[in-house]
C-alpha cells in the first residue's frame, strides 16, 4: 500500500517536471518505464491478498492499509469483484480492535501490510490486543505482508504468541523478486513450554498465482505436541496418604471410590497419548462448604489449569468459568431405601382378594338364595322358615347345618347353598394366598416431595460434591434442603458401609452414588432385599462433561480426542470398567414371608367387633329378660294375691255367723 501511494506521488511529480521542461523526453521515458514497474509491483499486493483469501474460502476481509483513499478504493474494488466484503483502516488509528475484527459464526480474513508501517510499536500493539481478545483462533485467518529483504525471524519476534494454539491461522508472507514466500506460523501452547513453529507454506507469483506445499489437514500436520506439559486437575477425595496419585487413579476398581475422577483421568491419558503431550496431574481434595462451583471450576477460571479430568455437572453459571469439551460420563445420585409391604393396618385387607364386582355378585346371589330358602320353607308347614339367613352363613363358613327339609325342593336348595358356600370359601382362600404372595409394595414416587412426606430417617455419604447438589435452584431440591437442614448435624452423614447397613432396616434412606454403593449392596443384601430396593434421585440421570480452560489452547484437541474415543468405543469401555452394575433382581420369583401382626389386624378387629357386638347384645338381652321376668313376677304375684283375696271372700260368705264370744276371742288373738 505504501508503494502504491509512492507510485501515485511519483507519477504526479514527473508530469509536473515534464510540463516545465526540466526533464528531457528520453529521460522522461526511462523514468516513466521505472514508474510502471513500481506500479505493477504495487498492484501485486492486492492480487496476492485476493488469491490467498480465495484459497482460504474467505468472503469477509478486514485489513490495515496505509490510509491512501485511492489505493483503499482500488483494493476494495478488487476484493469486491472477487465476492468479498471489505473493511479497511490505517495503522495508528484509534480503533476498537475487538469490534473491528469481531466474528462469531463465519471466517474472517485479516491482512496487515507492514510495508507502510514505519513503527514496530503499532504492529506490536495490534498483536497484543488481538492476543488479549483471543483473536488468534480458527475463525480469524491472518495474513502478514512484509517488504522485500525483511528477516522472517525479526518479523516473528514482534508476535505475541501467548494465545497461539493448534488451530491458529497465521501466515507471514515475505516479498521477493518473483512474488511472495509464505510461512505458516503457530505454537501449541507457549505457557506449557511450546515453541514457535514456522513452516514453509508455499509461494505466490504474478504469473503462476498461489502455489501451496502444505495441503494436509491442519490437525494432521499439527497433532504432535512434542511432549509439552499440560496441567490437568481433578477432584480426588478418598486417596490414602500412602498411595501415589497416578497409581491410585489407574489401579483396578477394587474399592469403588473416586470413580468419576478415575474415569476422566483414563480418558485424559488416552488424549495425551493421542496428541503426544505429558500430564502434570494436580489433585484437588478440598471443597468449601458454600462453594457452588468447586475448586476445579475456580482454578480453570483463574487459568491455573489447562483442563480438568474430573467430570462435572454442566450449569449455566459454570459456563462463565470454563468451556465444555464433551459430555462423557453418565451419572446420578439417589437416596436408597427398602420398599416393604405396607406397614399400615387397613380394613380393606379382608376385601382385597375379591374385586368390587365379585363382592356385589356374591351379595346379590346371597339375597337370592335367602329369598329362595325362605319361600320354600314358607310353603313347607313342617319346617322352620325363620333360619334361612343362618343357613346361608353356615354354608359359606363351611359349618354344619342343623336344619333339614322333607321336601325335595328344600333339599335341593340346601345342596345348592352348600355348593355355593364351598365355591366362595375355596375361591376366597386361594385369592387370599395369591394376594398374600403378590401384596403390593408401599412404593414412593421418584420425588423429593414424597421422600420428605414419608418421614423416613435420612442420612448421606459425605461426598465432596454434595454441596453443589444441595445448592441447586430447583424448587424440589430447595424444599428438600429445608427439611435436610432440620436434621441434627451429627446425624446427617454416615460412611458408606454404615449407611448401607442402616438401609437394611426398613424406614431408613441413605444418599450415595450408585456406582459406589452397588458393590456393597450386592455383598450385604439378600435377593428379596435387592428387589425391594427403591431409589429417589437427588441428581437425576445426566451426563457429566470434561471441562477445559476458557479460550484455552486445548479446546479443539479435547473435543476431537473425546469424539474419536467415543466413536472408537474407548469411552464405553472405560464407562464399563469404572462403573458398577445394578444388583440383579429376579422379578418372576416370589418370596414367602411370615404373616405379620399388622396384616391380621383388620381380621382381628373384625373378630373383636363381632365379639363386642355379641357381648353387648347378650347384655341387652339379659337386661331385657330380667326386666321382663320382674314384670312378669309382679304381674303373677298381683294376680295370685287378687285370686286369694277373692277366694277368701267366697269362703267367708259360705260360713255361718259366729258367736259373740268367739268373735271376741278371735279379735283378741
Amino acid at each position: 500500500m505504501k508503494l502504491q501511494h509512492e507510485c501515485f506521488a511519483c507519477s504526479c511529480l514527473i508530469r509536473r517536471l515534464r510540463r516545465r521542461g526540466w526533464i528531457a523526453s528520453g529521460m522522461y521515458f526511462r523514468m516513466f518505464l521505472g514508474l510502471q514497474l513500481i506500479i505493477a509491483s504495487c498492484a501485486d499486493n492486492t492480487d496476492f491478498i485476493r488469491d490467498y483469501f480465495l484459497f482460504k474460502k474467505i468472503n469477509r476481509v478486514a485489513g490495515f492499509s496505509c490510509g491512501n483513499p485511492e489505493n483503499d478504493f482500488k483494493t476494495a474494488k478488487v476484493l469486491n469483484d472477487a465476492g468479498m466484503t471489505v473493511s479497511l483502516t490505517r495503522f495508528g488509528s484509534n480503533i476498537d480492535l475487538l469490534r473491528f475484527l469481531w466474528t462469531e459464526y463465519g471466517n474472517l480474513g485479516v491482512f496487515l501490510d507492514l510495508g507502510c508501517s514505519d513503527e514496530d510499536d503499532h504492529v506490536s500493539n495490534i498483536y497484543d490486543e488481538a492476543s488479549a481478545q483471543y483473536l488468534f483462533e480458527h475463525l480469524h485467518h491472518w495474513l502478514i505482508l512484509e517488504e522485500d529483504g525483511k528477516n522472517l525471524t525479526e518479523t516473528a519476534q514482534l508476535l505475541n504468541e501467548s494465545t497461539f494454539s493448534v488451530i491458529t491461522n497465521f501466515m507471514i508472507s515475505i516479498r521477493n523478486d518473483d512474488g511472495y514466500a509464505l510461512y505458516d506460523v503457530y505454537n501449541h501452547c507457549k505457557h506449557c513450554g511450546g515453541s514457535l513453529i514456522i513452516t514453509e507454506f508455499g509461494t505466490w507469483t504474478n504469473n503462476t498465482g498461489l502455489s501451496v506445499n502444505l495441503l494436509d489437514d491442519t490437525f494432521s500436520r499439527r497433532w504432535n505436541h512434542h511432549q509439552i506439559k499440560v496441567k490437568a486437575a481433578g477432584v480426588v477425595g478418598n486417596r490414602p496418604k500412602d498411595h501415589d496419585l497416578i497409581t491410585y487413579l489407574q489401579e483396578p476398581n477394587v474399592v469403588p471410590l473416586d470413580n468419576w475422577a478415575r474415569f476422566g483421568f483414563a480418558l485424559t491419558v488416552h488424549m495425551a497419548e493421542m496428541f503426544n503431550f505429558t500430564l502434570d496431574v494436580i489433585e484437588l481434595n478440598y471443597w468449601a462448604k458454600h462453594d457452588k462451583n468447586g475448586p476445579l471450576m475456580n482454578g480453570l477460571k483463574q487459568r491455573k489449569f489447562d483442563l480438568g479430568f474430573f467430570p462435572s455437572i454442566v450449569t449455566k453459571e459454570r459456563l462463565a468459568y470454563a468451556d465444555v469439551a464433551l459430555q462423557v460420563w453418565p451419572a446420578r445420585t439417589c437416596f436408597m431405601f427398602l420398599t416393604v409391604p405396607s406397614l399400615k393396618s387397613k380394613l380393606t385387607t379382608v376385601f382385597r382378594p375379591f374385586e368390587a364386582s365379585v363382592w356385589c355378585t356374591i351379595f346379590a346371589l346371597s339375597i337370592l338364595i335367602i329369598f329362595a330358602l325362605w319361600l320354600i320353607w314358607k310353603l313347607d308347614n313342617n319346617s322352620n322358615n325363620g333360619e334361612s339367613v343362618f343357613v346361608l352363613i353356615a354354608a359359606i363358613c363351611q359349618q354344619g347345618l342343623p336344619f333339614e327339609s322333607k321336601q325335595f325342593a328344600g333339599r335341593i336348595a340346601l345342596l345348592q347353598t352348600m355348593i355355593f358356600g364351598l365355591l366362595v370359601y375355596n375361591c376366597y382362600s386361594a385369592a387370599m394366598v395369591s394376594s398374600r404372595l403378590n401384596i403390593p409394595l408401599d412404593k414412593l414416587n421418584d420425588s423429593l416431595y414424597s421422600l420428605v412426606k414419608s418421614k423416613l430417617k435420612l442420612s448421606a455419604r459425605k461426598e465432596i460434591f454434595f454441596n453443589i447438589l444441595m445448592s441447586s435452584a430447583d424448587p424440589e431440591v430447595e424444599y428438600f434442603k429445608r427439611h435436610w437442614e432440620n436434621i441434627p448435624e451429627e446425624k446427617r452423614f454416615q460412611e458408606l458401609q454404615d449407611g448401607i447397613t442402616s438401609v437394611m432396616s426398613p424406614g431408613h434412606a441413605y444418599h450415595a452414588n450408585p456406582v459406589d454403593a452397588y458393590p456393597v449392596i450386592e455383598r450385604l443384601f439378600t435377593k428379596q432385599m435387592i428387589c425391594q430396593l427403591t431409589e429417589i434421585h437427588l441428581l437425576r440421570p445426566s451426563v457429566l462433561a470434561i471441562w477445559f480452560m476458557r479460550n484455552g489452547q486445548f479446546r479443539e484437541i479435547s473435543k476431537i480426542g473425546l469424539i474419536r474415543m467415543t466413536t472408537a468405543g474407548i469411552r464405553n469401555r472405560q464407562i464399563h470398567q469404572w462403573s458398577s452394575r445394578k444388583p440383579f433382581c429376579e422379578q418372576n420369583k416370589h418370596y414367602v414371608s411370615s404373616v405379620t401382626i399388622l396384616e391380621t389386624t383388620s381380621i382381628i378387629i373384625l373378630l373383636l367387633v363381632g365379639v363386642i357386638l355379641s357381648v353387648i347384645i347378650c347384655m341387652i338381652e339379659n337386661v331385657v329378660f330380667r326386666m321382663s321376668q320382674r314384670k312378669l313376677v309382679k304381674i303373677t304375684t298381683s294376680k295370685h294375691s287378687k285370686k286369694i283375696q277373692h277366694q277368701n271372700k267366697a269362703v267367708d260368705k259360705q260360713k255361718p255367723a259366729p258367736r259373740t264370744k268367739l268373735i271376741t276371742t278371735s279379735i283378741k288373738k
Side-chain angles (χ1 to χ4, degrees):
M1 294 303 173
K2 181 179 179 181
L3 293 176
Q4 290 180 357
H5 180 62
E6 291 174 350
C7 292
F8 179 74
C10 291
S11 178
C12 295
L13 178 60
I14 291 174
R15 290 192 185 96
R16 292 194 195 101
L17 294 176
R18 180 73 180 86
R19 283 195 300 268
R20 295 182 181 183
W22 293 356
I23 300 177
S25 59
M27 185 182 295
Y28 172 77
F29 176 76
R30 289 191 297 272
M31 293 182 66
F32 180 77
L33 181 62
L35 180 61
Q36 293 300 320
L37 294 175
I38 295 174
I39 293 173
S41 64
C42 294
D44 289 348
N45 286 356
T46 302
D47 295 338
F48 169 57
I49 294 171
R50 177 199 61 197
D51 292 347
Y52 175 76
F53 287 130
L54 283 175
F55 172 77
K56 289 290 185 177
K57 298 179 181 180
I58 303 296
N59 55 13
R60 296 187 302 138
V61 176
F64 293 86
S65 68
C66 298
N68 184 276
E70 182 178 355
N71 294 335
D72 290 348
F73 174 77
K74 292 179 181 179
T75 301
K77 185 176 184 304
V78 171
L79 296 179
N80 288 154
D81 291 342
M84 305 178 195
T85 58
V86 185
S87 178
L88 300 174
T89 186
R90 61 184 297 273
F91 280 100
S93 60
N94 295 325
I95 186 171
D96 186 352
L97 188 66
L98 179 61
R99 184 177 180 182
F100 183 59
L101 301 181
W102 172 254
T103 181
E104 188 173 7
Y105 303 107
N107 294 330
L108 177 67
V110 183
F111 71 87
L112 278 73
D113 190 354
L114 303 185
C116 60
S117 177
D118 297 330
E119 297 184 10
D120 293 339
D121 292 342
H122 293 161
V123 180
S124 297
N125 290 337
I126 291 176
Y127 290 156
D128 293 341
E129 189 173 354
S131 180
Q133 301 296 341
Y134 303 102
L135 299 178
F136 294 121
E137 35 73 46
H138 66 286
L139 291 179
H140 292 81
H141 295 256
W142 292 76
L143 177 62
I144 311 301
L145 290 84
E146 271 287 9
E147 293 179 342
D148 188 11
K150 279 287 186 178
N151 190 345
L152 179 62
T153 305
E154 295 178 359
T155 303
Q157 287 177 352
L158 298 176
L159 292 176
N160 184 342
E161 53 182 307
S162 60
T163 58
F164 275 30
S165 66
V166 70
I167 61 172
T168 298
N169 294 298
F170 197 89
M171 195 70 62
I172 296 178
S173 60
I174 304 296
R175 186 173 181 83
N176 51 36
D177 296 336
D178 298 332
Y180 289 92
L182 286 78
Y183 300 91
D184 183 34
V185 181
Y186 70 95
N187 190 340
H188 290 104
C189 179
K190 183 176 181 180
H191 72 268
C192 300
S195 58
L196 194 66
I197 300 175
I198 301 176
T199 309
E200 185 176 351
F201 182 79
T203 59
W204 182 89
T205 61
N206 193 26
N207 295 327
T208 61
L210 185 64
S211 177
V212 179
N213 300 329
L214 298 178
L215 295 176
D216 295 338
D217 178 72
T218 301
F219 290 98
S220 300
R221 292 186 284 109
R222 302 179 179 181
W223 68 268
N224 190 354
H225 282 61
H226 305 287
Q227 293 293 315
I228 62 174
K229 186 171 290 187
V230 178
K231 293 183 179 180
V235 179
V236 182
N238 299 282
R239 180 179 68 89
K241 295 182 179 180
D242 57 343
H243 280 57
D244 177 68
L245 177 61
I246 305 299
T247 305
Y248 174 74
L249 291 174
Q250 292 181 330
E251 67 182 359
N253 192 16
V254 178
V255 180
L257 298 173
D258 292 316
N259 283 11
W260 292 11
R262 292 180 177 185
F263 167 80
F265 182 75
L267 294 187
T268 307
V269 169
H270 280 294
M271 195 187 309
E273 294 173 352
M274 189 182 300
F275 295 104
N276 191 28
F277 60 81
T278 58
L279 292 174
D280 181 11
V281 184
I282 301 172
E283 177 185 12
L284 305 174
N285 53 18
Y286 175 75
W287 194 315
K289 184 175 181 180
H290 299 291
D291 186 2
K292 295 182 179 180
N293 299 300
L296 177 60
M297 292 299 149
N298 293 327
L300 291 174
K301 181 181 181 181
Q302 298 169 10
R303 309 187 76 81
K304 294 181 179 179
F305 323 125
D306 296 302
L307 58 90
F309 61 82
F310 183 79
S312 302
I313 304 170
V314 178
T315 63
K316 184 178 180 180
E317 185 178 0
R318 286 182 172 183
L319 292 175
Y321 283 53
D323 289 335
V324 175
L326 194 69
Q327 292 176 280
V328 292
W329 175 250
R332 62 191 180 91
T333 66
C334 55
F335 283 91
M336 304 178 182
F337 56 94
L338 293 183
T339 294
V340 296
S342 179
L343 299 178
K344 298 179 181 179
S345 176
K346 298 180 181 179
L347 294 177
T348 55
T349 305
V350 179
F351 305 99
R352 187 174 58 197
F354 288 162
E355 293 184 354
S357 58
V358 178
W359 286 114
C360 293
T361 304
I362 293 174
F363 179 76
L365 290 175
S366 299
I367 297 297
L368 181 61
I369 291 172
I370 291 172
F371 177 75
L373 290 174
W374 176 83
L375 182 62
I376 291 171
W377 288 342
K378 185 73 174 177
L379 299 175
D380 187 3
N381 297 326
N382 299 324
S383 300
N384 185 0
N385 56 13
E387 306 293 341
S388 57
V389 176
F390 294 103
V391 169
L392 179 64
I393 295 175
I396 292 177
C397 298
Q398 296 296 291
Q399 302 298 316
L401 296 178
F403 311 100
E404 60 181 13
S405 178
K406 296 180 180 180
Q407 296 181 352
F408 287 105
R411 294 178 181 180
I412 293 173
L414 287 175
L415 181 61
Q416 177 269 339
T417 304
M418 292 297 296
I419 294 174
F420 173 73
L422 178 65
L423 294 176
V424 172
Y425 178 83
N426 284 279
C427 290
Y428 185 85
S429 300
M432 178 63 79
V433 174
S434 176
S435 176
R436 180 65 180 78
L437 292 175
N438 298 282
I439 184 170
L441 300 178
D442 195 10
K443 285 286 187 180
L444 294 180
N445 294 330
D446 188 5
S447 168
L448 295 175
Y449 295 112
S450 301
L451 183 63
V452 173
K453 293 178 181 178
S454 67
K455 298 182 180 180
L456 293 172
K457 295 180 181 178
L458 302 177
S459 63
R461 185 183 181 191
K462 201 167 187 178
E463 301 280 3
I464 200 167
F465 53 85
F466 185 76
N467 294 329
I468 187 173
L469 299 179
M470 295 300 295
S471 61
S472 173
D474 187 89
E476 187 175 355
V477 178
E478 291 180 346
Y479 174 80
F480 175 77
K481 184 179 180 181
R482 291 193 293 269
H483 176 75
W484 175 261
E485 291 176 346
N486 293 328
I487 302 175
E489 184 71 26
E490 64 277 5
K491 296 182 179 180
R492 292 183 188 177
F493 299 101
Q494 285 182 301
E495 293 298 329
L496 183 63
Q497 187 79 16
D498 298 335
I500 298 301
T501 304
S502 63
V503 173
M504 297 175 68
S505 301
H508 190 100
Y510 180 69
H511 177 269
N513 179 6
V515 173
D516 300 337
Y518 281 161
V520 183
I521 290 173
E522 193 167 15
R523 188 174 67 251
L524 297 180
F525 281 27
T526 63
K527 293 182 179 180
Q528 183 179 8
M529 294 169 67
I530 289 174
C531 292
Q532 293 175 346
L533 187 65
T534 305
E535 301 172 354
I536 292 182
H537 290 92
L538 179 58
L539 171 63
R540 296 195 174 276
S542 56
V543 183
L544 308 187
I546 295 293
W547 296 74
F548 53 85
M549 183 172 59
R550 191 169 180 80
N551 297 313
Q553 284 83 354
F554 299 94
R555 176 174 56 184
E556 295 300 325
I557 67 168
S558 298
K559 293 179 179 179
I560 292 174
L562 292 173
I563 290 173
R564 285 183 178 180
M565 282 185 276
T566 300
T567 55
I570 297 176
R571 169 176 168 259
N572 289 336
R573 185 181 67 189
Q574 293 296 333
I575 290 174
H576 179 74
Q577 179 178 354
W578 298 109
S579 30
S580 304
R581 70 178 183 88
K582 187 174 183 179
F584 177 72
C585 168
E586 298 183 34
Q587 296 287 351
N588 297 327
K589 185 175 181 180
H590 297 286
Y591 299 95
V592 180
S593 59
S594 302
V595 178
T596 63
I597 187 65
L598 292 174
E599 294 181 74
T600 59
T601 302
S602 57
I603 301 173
I604 294 174
I605 291 175
L606 184 62
L607 179 62
L608 291 176
V609 169
V611 172
I612 293 172
L613 185 62
S614 300
V615 171
I616 293 174
I617 294 174
C618 179
M619 293 175 64
I620 293 174
E621 286 181 342
N622 278 276
V623 171
V624 172
F625 176 75
R626 290 181 180 276
M627 292 176 63
S628 61
Q629 287 295 322
R630 289 177 183 177
K631 188 175 181 181
L632 181 61
V633 169
K634 289 181 179 180
I635 295 173
T636 305
T637 305
S638 175
K639 289 182 177 180
H640 185 66
S641 299
K642 290 180 179 180
K643 186 177 180 180
I644 292 174
Q645 291 178 2
H646 182 71
Q647 291 177 354
N648 291 336
K649 289 181 179 180
V651 172
D652 292 341
K653 289 180 179 181
Q654 293 177 359
K655 289 181 179 181
R659 297 177 180 177
T660 305
K661 183 178 181 179
L662 290 175
I663 294 173
T664 304
T665 304
S666 177
I667 293 172
K668 286 182 180 181
K669 289 182 180 180

